[in-house]
């Protein structure tokens, strides 16, 4: 399968990504810097993604989120929810 993964360098993504590759999947990472092989540029904070590179994927894994840790205040929870919603919206569009 051809799989797109956001958050591939995070705590969970750094374990999931190599596992998917070992299972024989063709994995592409969403990255915020200049993309290399099997990488696609995006800037989720600005709502931008290289949409021309998103054809033909069989699945998407979204593990992208804000950096941790935070105290779980109402303000932080609201910011986390908004961040996750914006990331999902960008990927869906």
């Amino acid at each position: 399968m051809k799989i797109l993964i956001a958050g591939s360098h995070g705590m969970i993504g750094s374990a999931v990504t190599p596992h998917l590759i070992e299972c024989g999947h063709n994995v592409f990472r969403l990255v915020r810097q200049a993309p290399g092989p099997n990488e696609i540029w995006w800037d989720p904070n600005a709502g931008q993604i290289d949409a021309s590179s998103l054809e033909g994927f069989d699945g998407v894994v979204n593990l992208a989120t804000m950096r941790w840790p935070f105290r779980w205040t109402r303000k932080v929870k609201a910011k986390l929810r908004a961040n996750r919603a914006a990331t999902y919206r960008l990927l869906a569009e």
Side-chain angles (χ1 to χ4, degrees):
M1 290 181 68
K2 184 177 177 184
I3 300 173
L4 180 66
I5 186 163
S8 64
H9 291 99
M11 183 175 69
I12 297 171
S14 62
V16 170
T17 302
H19 177 72
L20 290 172
I21 293 168
E22 288 171 12
C23 289
H25 299 291
N26 190 9
V27 177
F28 286 75
R29 302 170 187 247
L30 285 171
V31 296
R32 297 170 195 230
Q33 71 274 357
N38 289 2
E39 294 181 338
I40 297 170
W41 176 85
W42 79 328
D43 183 348
N45 295 330
Q48 298 177 337
I49 192 167
D50 179 9
S52 66
S53 299
L54 298 178
E55 295 296 322
F57 283 94
D58 299 303
V60 177
V61 178
N62 182 15
L63 301 171
T65 190
M66 295 169 37
R67 295 201 182 269
W68 296 82
F70 295 108
R71 273 189 80 202
W72 287 94
T73 63
R74 282 189 181 152
K75 186 177 181 179
V76 167
K77 288 179 189 179
K79 193 172 182 180
L80 283 167
R81 277 191 299 275
N83 174 269
R84 295 293 291 171
T87 301
Y88 279 113
R89 190 176 311 108
L90 177 60
L91 289 171
E93 290 173 353

